[in-house]
Amino acid sequence: MASPQLPPPSGSPEDTESGWQFVQRPTVSFTSLRTSGEQYLRRDSDTISDHGMHHDIRQEHFDCCHETENVNTSVEPAPEPDEATFVEYTRPASALLRVMSLLDPELIGSHLLFPVSATAEQCGYPATARNFTIARDELRQKSLISLTPGGNGLCMQRHIQDEVVTQLQANDQFCVFFVVVVEMVAASWPSGVTLQRPDESPQNRYSRWMNCEGLLPHVLKLKQTFEGMDNVDAKTCTTHHLVLLSIEVAWYYFERSNYLQANALVDFGFLAYAQAYKYSPQTVPLLADLHGTRAATAIQTGEQQSAISNAEMQLAYQRQVSNNQLTSRLANAHNELGNALLINWRFAEAAASFDIGASILQFTPGFQRLDSYSYLVGHGTVFYMKGEHDKAFDRFERALGEREKAYGQDDREGIRSGELLYALGNVCNAQGRLDDSFANFRLALKNFQETVDSHHSSTAKAALLHQVLPVYESAPYYRPQLARVHFKISQVLNAQCMNNAWDAQASLNYAWDIRRLLVPGDMRSPLDLEEEDFDRLVVLWAR
């Protein structure tokens, strides 16, 4: 790869200034751990070299938190700097300014500016608390940067950023600092923790969303910068960190049920990969994660062919990565393929894929009964879609029982308990047990509301009809759900028989219009359509 190579740093920063507080934290690598129906991102103990990365992140990072003395809570004025000030500063201050020029200028948090990478230190970036403070204050004195209100971050004017970037390009240093910034953002991105073991410390993975929101402007700035590069610079600036970061951010959007943005980040990951890499054993894990991410979004949005093709590619690449070893990632690839087969109504093949995933998991280290979630839910879904409701209820109830043993009946470790309760509600409704169905739906909605926000797709499907319309009207990939909801509304209005005939027909016509866009070959009139025609537009777990 043509990425700039620099030798690893020697020594370790030891200064701790009273003005800023620094704490050590271990190296973080980013990998995707895929589970059927729900994606988890996790930190693990793999080294960067285990993933074929060409840039080593230093073993000891330093987290620059807050100034404890002389914090100015007002917004500092930023007068126009003299031209000479762009060259009249020390090497650490110069490196800090160049790093900041590639980030979003409005709010650059201190936690982002001080994970020190090997590349950054070799470029002159301040590697100790004392040197960082000196460099920062030097830039502030020259009015090149300012403290944000509260003193918890830095900001700079855009025209200063543009001038610094121009100098970087003129001095052939742009790509080196782009790589540095990508490493910093990747090291700061708060990946989720997989909560599959009862003995793990309780931690809600959704609590990281606020931190992700704070880093998103910087990721999007890097994405915009990369997309504007010529082929030579793009090839030089592409690293494993960049592709993995695109996958991490895609999964954040996936968790927020923003599938359009998730796909945009996956496409960006494919673009970055294509710019710099040819197929090789070292890059196979990236291809497995990229195809797996795309498969998961396609499954959620009901893109049948895309789901199958990407899930098959993910499995093929994961088999190469596993090298005939039985791993949880290989099992999860089989489970993802099972879900893709489900939305294509290939039930027997889906069940077989879930069986393979379960058999692999049983031979992985640390296997627990809780790990059977994907197997039980997969088979429960197959039975439900085949109309075998008693068997479906049994599988969903067993999966929920394992969750409750691990986390209690008030499980808030994610939306899995909510999804199981919602599935039980659907089964009870199909069995004619309406009271039980309503009770399960109500518990599912409570779980969704307390783990994800009200605009999440899981919350929307469990809410009342009039409450979900703003969610389903917010993005084009919700058109199947929107058509189904308007059909349901027309049914409710007709059942009320309170001079609602006109409104009921209007809702039905609107549902028919949307469905025509999705199924253009169906020429039936609105009155000829039945509930099943709209149900088939939406994957089971989104109904």
Side-chain angles (χ1 to χ4, degrees), residues 354-375:
F354 292 129
D355 287 340
I356 295 172
S359 64
I360 292 173
L361 275 177
Q362 291 178 10
F363 293 98
T364 57
F367 172 77
Q368 302 282 346
R369 290 181 60 85
L370 193 62
D371 298 337
S372 300
Y373 173 88
S374 297
Y375 167 79

Side-chain angles (χ1 to χ4, degrees), residues 130-145:
R130 179 176 182 274
N131 290 341
F132 179 86
T133 303
I134 292 173
R136 182 206 64 205
D137 291 346
E138 180 180 342
L139 296 177
R140 288 176 60 195
Q141 290 168 5
K142 293 181 181 294
S143 299
L144 295 171
I145 64 174

